[in-house]
Amino acid sequence: MTLQRFLSTWDGVNRENRFNRLFILLLIAANIGLAVTLIKTDRTVVLVPPTLEHEVTIGRNSASQEAKDVWALFVVELLGHVTPSNANFLITALDPLLAAAIRQEVLKVLDEQTTAIKRENVSLSFEPGAITHDPKNDNIYITGKHVTTGPGAQPVAIERTYVLRIIFQNYRPRVAYLDVYPGPARLSTEPPTPPSAPRGDPS
């Protein structure tokens, strides 16, 4: 019996219908599985910033070290270059970048420092010279020359180090730790600690 004659019989038609229904169910199940996988899959965004020669990757709650370095340098540039005219802008620019755990304390310190800068009419500048990483706590250390200039006085230059921990939440960078001190970077010898509030003067 040829296939064409078999399919023309009632039994052949029934078998073909059963096969088609099974095949359609398998296709539906495969599509549902694919949809669930796509929903649960964490997207990875690949960027090539103009300040870097290599691409960086950013996930929902993670990022490559290069991406963290770029944001750390951006924050340090804001903190290190302050004048009476842009002091208020500093707080506005940094506010959305601060993690909830340190936001209030950092903003309080910044408000005090910017008020003093405007009152004393001084300007701050910072020239990054080196960047160091501490894998134990994921901190980024940026060391450079910090210069304070006031009216009628010679500029005062010192070596200064900014310490930051950059995290990513829903693809957005957040500063989870912030500290600053004079001198070279002092890498931690302690085991990793959870993000904490900043110490010292962040500006």
Side-chain angles (χ1 to χ4, degrees), residues 110-133:
L110 287 177
D111 183 64
E112 294 172 354
Q113 294 300 318
T114 54
T115 299
I117 288 172
K118 289 186 289 186
R119 182 179 63 248
E120 299 172 11
N121 195 29
V122 298
S123 298
L124 310 177
S125 64
F126 181 75
E127 181 180 341
I131 183 168
T132 310
H133 307 101

Side-chain angles (χ1 to χ4, degrees), residues 1 8 14 31 33 39 75 83 95-96 99 103-104 114 122-123 126 134 178 192 201:
M1 179 181 292
S8 65
N14 285 335
N31 287 335
I39 292 173
V75 172
T83 66
D95 188 358
R103 181 176 178 272
Q104 292 301 325
T114 54
V122 298
S123 298
F126 181 75
D134 191 343
L178 176 61
D201 172 13

Side-chain angles (χ1 to χ4, degrees), residues 40-66:
K40 292 185 176 181
T41 299
D42 187 19
R43 291 182 298 167
T44 298
V45 181
V46 180
L47 304 173
V48 183
T51 56
L52 292 179
E53 296 180 358
H54 306 286
E55 67 181 20
V56 299
T57 59
I58 299 175
R60 182 179 298 276
N61 295 307
S62 64
S64 62
Q65 188 62 57
E66 292 83 0

